[in-house]
Amino acid sequence: MIGKANSNEASREIRIGYDNIENVGQIDIEKVITDTENQGIVDNFLMIYLYKEKILDTNKDIDKPDVHISVMSPKQSTGLIDSRLWFTNEGAVIGIRSGESWDQVDYFEINKSDANYIKEQIEYQED
């Protein structure tokens, strides 16, 4: 009985946010995708993040990403992945915070197909 009562609570959620134009440093969460509403999308995001390729150098401005994507564990009240994405002609560059702050970042790239999938799921609007 307890398992059924708790089964509606998400174990993973993906938060999609954008920089607030008026308040520097504020991220406005515009979409949340949970595994209870769409397990397939959450799994696909996790697979994209799992199979990304590490890159050493990037010319991206860490403070001006196209989108912020976080993977959370709401049951544990824990952030699992804190990332920023920059879409490119070849796909996307992902910066993942690897320390306490954004002073420590690891960079990765994903292909155009994976980047397009992310754009579609987050309903990304290019300027």
Side-chain angles (χ1 to χ4, degrees):
M1 190 71 159
I2 291 173
K4 287 187 179 188
N6 291 333
S7 65
N8 290 337
E9 185 179 356
S11 65
R12 296 286 180 269
E13 70 181 22
I14 297 170
R15 294 182 184 174
I16 312 303
Y18 298 92
D19 289 315
N20 183 291
I21 295 169
E22 296 173 4
N23 300 308
V24 175
Q26 177 179 323
I27 300 168
D28 296 331
I29 303 300
E30 296 196 6
K31 185 171 186 173
V32 176
I33 304 167
T34 64
D35 59 356
T36 55
E37 74 183 30
N38 199 322
Q39 182 73 48
I41 292 174
V42 172
D43 288 348
N44 286 337
F45 266 78
L46 292 174
M47 292 304 288
I48 289 169
Y49 272 70
L50 184 63
Y51 291 106
K52 64 202 176 308
E53 292 187 32
K54 187 161 179 102
I55 56 175
L56 297 177
D57 191 23
T58 181
N59 59 358
K60 301 300 176 193
D61 182 351
I62 191 68
D63 294 323
K64 298 196 184 311
D66 292 323
V67 64
H68 297 261
I69 298 180
S70 299
V71 179
M72 309 295 290
S73 174
K75 286 183 180 179
Q76 302 298 319
S77 300
T78 304
L80 303 174
I81 298 171
D82 193 6
S83 71
R84 296 174 179 180
L85 270 78
W86 297 264
F87 294 109
T88 67
N89 290 335
E90 297 80 32
V93 171
I94 301 173
I96 297 180
R97 186 172 53 86
S98 59
E100 292 293 317
S101 71
W102 280 98
D103 293 335
Q104 296 175 304
V105 181
D106 292 325
Y107 292 98
F108 305 87
E109 60 185 0
I110 59 173
N111 65 36
K112 193 168 191 67
S113 173
D114 287 343
N116 286 342
Y117 178 82
I118 289 173
K119 283 181 180 180
E120 181 181 328
Q121 299 311 314
I122 68 174
E123 300 168 8
Y124 181 73
Q125 301 295 317
E126 302 207 33
D127 294 333

